[in-house]
């Protein structure tokens, strides 16, 4: 079982990083093989052709040699995912958005490489705390276009980071352990 964390965070310290580490640890402890794909500086879609390029019919990007093709293969090979980003301007970080814009064009609909696969969405707002919902809504829309199944949503800010870190760990672990819809941990 391959658990892929796709991250838009450019930092190796701080709030978003600490949550990402918890998620990787949770997935490992749940028995998954983990991989981290850092997408913080990805190039944007060039909108080639008449608005659709090779992406629509051939499911690959005409400019895939800039690293997109390799990243698409890594996504293809994974079984479940976490998408994690810092909130920038109430949206996901720009590099991650650029990658998702290109991936969505190649992988939209029920036959795409994300269709039917589980995803944990996580976003951290380190400033005012504003913009978490709009950022997560953007990621939610990407999931709807690609058919990815949202397992849980983790919204982190400076005030809730202690208990959201635990929730992030637990969500990734439960996914990796293969918890099914309808199963409950409540025994009493
Ligand atoms: C360009 C930019 C825009 C940002 N916009 C927001 C924002 O809209 N709301 C917010 O709460 N924090 C905002 N922040 C702060 C980030 O969300 C914060 O850095 C992020 O949660 C990661 O925390 P960390 O830097 O401790 O890892 C912004 C940061 C940057 C660099």
């Amino acid at each position: 079982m391959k658990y892929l964390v796709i991250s838009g965070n450019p930092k190796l310290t701080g709030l978003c990083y600490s949550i990402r580490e918890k998620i990787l640890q949770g997935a490992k402890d749940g028995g998954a093989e983990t991989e981290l794909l850092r997408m913080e500086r990805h190039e944007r879609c060039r909108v080639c052709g008449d608005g659709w390029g090779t992406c629509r019919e051939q499911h690959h990007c005409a400019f895939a040699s800039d690293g997109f093709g390799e990243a698409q293969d890594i996504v293809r090979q994974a079984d479940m995912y976490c998408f994690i980003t810092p909130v920038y301007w109430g949206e996901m970080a720009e590099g991650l958005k650029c990658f998702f814009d290109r991936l969505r064009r190649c992988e939209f609909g029920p036959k795409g490489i994300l269709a039917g696969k589980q995803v944990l969405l996580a976003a951290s707002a380190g400033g005012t705390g504003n913009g978490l919902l709009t950022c997560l809504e953007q990621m939610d829309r990407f999931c709807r276009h690609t058919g990815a199944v949202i397992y849980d949503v983790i919204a982190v800010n400076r005030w809730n980071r202690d208990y959201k870190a635990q929730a992030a760990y637990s969500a990734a672990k439960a996914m990796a352990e293969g918890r099914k819809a309808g199963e409950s941990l409540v025994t009493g």
Side-chain angles (χ1 to χ4, degrees), residues 44-63:
R44 73 166 181 85
C45 172
R46 299 194 199 184
V47 197
C48 62
D50 62 356
W52 285 108
T54 52
C55 45
R56 185 179 202 172
E57 302 295 340
Q58 295 169 38
H59 312 292
H60 72 80
C61 176
F63 302 95

Side-chain angles (χ1 to χ4, degrees), residues 29-46:
D29 291 351
E33 180 193 341
T34 59
E35 185 166 356
L36 174 63
L37 189 59
R38 295 180 61 186
M39 279 297 151
E40 60 255 34
R41 304 193 204 284
H42 198 73
E43 296 294 326
R44 73 166 181 85
C45 172
R46 299 194 199 184

Side-chain angles (χ1 to χ4, degrees), residues 102-164:
R102 292 171 74 183
L103 191 63
R104 171 169 53 186
R105 282 169 168 269
C106 296
E107 305 294 352
F108 69 93
K111 292 191 176 157
I113 60 177
L114 286 162
K117 293 185 184 171
Q118 290 182 336
V119 179
L120 174 64
L121 300 182
S124 73
T128 58
N130 295 332
L132 267 167
L133 285 180
T134 45
C135 173
L136 287 163
E137 201 278 336
Q138 215 177 30
M139 294 207 279
D140 173 288
R141 194 170 335 115
F142 171 80
C143 292
R144 276 182 279 129
H145 287 149
T146 55
V149 177
I150 297 173
Y151 185 87
D152 204 348
V153 176
I154 308 287
V156 187
N157 63 30
R158 289 183 284 138
W159 305 282
N160 67 24
R161 63 183 299 170
D162 54 341
Y163 61 86
K164 286 298 175 75

Side-chain angles (χ1 to χ4, degrees), residues 9 11 13-17 86-90 124-131:
N9 179 28
K11 293 174 64 178
T13 57
L15 182 60
C16 195
Y17 176 78
V87 175
Y88 287 173
W89 311 113
S124 73
T128 58
N130 295 332

